[in-house]
Amino acid sequence: MIQLVTPARILGTSLLRRRNPLLTALPIRSLASLPAREEEPQQCSHSLLILGKPGGGKGTISEKILRDFPQFRHVSTGDELRQHVRNGTELGMEAKKYMDEGCLVPDNVMIKMVMGDAVEAVKVCQSLLLDGFPRTMEQAVALDKNLDVDLVIHLCIPNETIIKRISDRWIHPASGRIYSYSYKPPKVKGQDDETGEPLVQREDDKPESVLKRLQKFEDATAPLVKYYEDKGVLQKFKGTMSDVIYPEVKGWLDDQLAEDDASATV
């Protein structure tokens, strides 16, 4: 325990010096002037990944997490990629070459973008909420060489629920406005609320297309799920509605972060 240097203690030291002149050569030093003992650094940030099928509510769950856990910074690799391309950065120009050729942007380029945000976040003890990357085990292994993903949420939503949700979606092509007849219908069926122009359904949103996309996603992410399960950092959440699933997600995150707070005080 650190003891404060009080006036009485300073006076006592002065009297002692009068009795022993040899002590007058010694400077009065408070404990505050002594170098503090270095302590072991505590982990103050996390890297959280949300896994789930397209249309499975990842965006909704992410928004709720960012609202309730402000220590997390949202890192959307899709948004990051588009911003780098727009700004003409070195990473953006490199990525654009592959995009113009219709090729996937290499993992090393994507990781550089993620690490750019990660470095800034770590400086201020801010945690990361990763959105859109990694999507395959190969990407996860490559990312682990640079960043430790220590919290993984796996949203397990039935295919039937997602097919119904996505195939119910219609858009206004000119503006990108999205409508859903089950929870956000247009005022007039088949027409955009603001322009009255016709709504269309994307080819990818048709039931047969959605099912094929879900099957491909499951094949690609199954090894990734196992990878994080084996690391002991993945938690599964099952359900059909985000509002029902999220309280469980929040409870789990509260517990994980509380464990860190407890260990930091030991």
Side-chain angles (χ1 to χ4, degrees):
M1 182 177 68
I2 296 178
Q3 293 179 326
L4 297 178
V5 180
T6 64
R9 298 187 69 184
I10 295 176
L11 177 60
T13 305
S14 300
L15 292 174
L16 182 62
R17 286 185 171 183
R18 290 178 185 174
R19 294 175 185 173
N20 189 347
L22 293 177
L23 291 176
T24 58
L26 297 176
I28 299 176
R29 297 182 65 191
S30 69
L31 289 177
S33 67
L34 297 176
R37 188 183 71 177
E38 294 185 2
E39 298 182 355
E40 291 293 326
Q42 297 287 344
Q43 179 178 347
C44 62
S45 61
H46 295 273
S47 295
L48 167 64
L49 171 65
I50 300 183
L51 295 176
K53 303 167 187 174
K58 294 190 299 295
T60 301
I61 296 294
S62 294
E63 289 176 2
K64 293 177 182 293
I65 290 175
L66 294 171
R67 179 196 66 200
D68 293 336
F69 300 90
Q71 64 266 48
F72 281 94
R73 177 191 295 190
H74 188 216
V75 180
S76 170
T77 49
D79 292 344
E80 289 281 320
L81 184 59
R82 286 186 287 272
Q83 184 176 347
H84 276 280
V85 172
R86 277 197 308 268
N87 295 341
T89 66
E90 183 178 345
L91 278 175
M93 297 302 291
E94 185 176 356
K96 191 173 185 300
K97 290 188 299 185
Y98 296 97
M99 294 166 67
D100 289 345
E101 295 173 1
C103 301
L104 292 175
V105 178
D107 292 348
N108 67 309
V109 176
M110 300 299 291
I111 290 173
K112 285 179 184 177
M113 283 193 293
V114 172
M115 291 309 299
D117 263 341
V119 169
E120 292 301 315
V122 169
K123 286 180 182 177
V124 294
C125 259
Q126 195 172 27
S127 296
L128 298 178
L129 172 55
L130 301 176
D131 181 357
F133 190 89
R135 291 186 177 183
T136 66
M137 191 179 72
E138 291 76 13
Q139 291 174 348
V141 172
L143 182 63
D144 268 356
K145 295 176 182 177
N146 299 273
L147 184 70
D148 181 31
V149 176
D150 59 336
L151 296 170
V152 180
I153 292 170
H154 184 206
L155 301 178
C156 303
I157 313 299
N159 283 351
E160 296 77 13
T161 300
I162 296 176
I163 291 173
K164 181 179 179 181
R165 185 182 298 169
I166 295 180
S167 60
D168 198 34
R169 186 166 61 189
W170 292 71
I171 67 169
H172 176 237
S175 67
R177 281 186 286 273
I178 300 175
Y179 298 89
S180 171
Y181 285 103
S182 58
Y183 66 90
K184 188 186 174 184
K187 296 175 182 176
V188 178
K189 186 175 181 180
Q191 295 182 11
D192 177 52
D193 287 350
E194 296 188 18
T195 66
E197 295 173 346
L199 302 176
V200 301
Q201 186 176 47
R202 298 187 311 176
E203 193 66 32
D204 284 350
D205 288 345
K206 294 181 179 179
E208 58 274 15
S209 299
V210 175
L211 180 59
K212 289 180 181 178
R213 194 159 77 243
L214 290 174
Q215 290 171 339
K216 287 182 179 179
F217 179 86
E218 289 176 350
D219 291 342
T221 58
L224 180 61
V225 170
K226 185 177 186 306
Y227 175 73
Y228 285 120
E229 279 183 330
D230 291 344
K231 289 184 66 176
V233 298
L234 182 142
Q235 182 69 28
K236 292 184 178 181
F237 298 92
K238 298 180 180 181
T240 59
M241 298 178 63
S242 298
D243 288 343
V244 176
I245 294 173
Y246 180 68
E248 298 180 13
V249 172
K250 184 178 183 300
W252 178 73
L253 271 180
D254 279 331
D255 290 343
Q256 300 304 306
L257 299 178
E259 288 178 8
D260 288 342
D261 292 340
S263 63
T265 58
V266 174

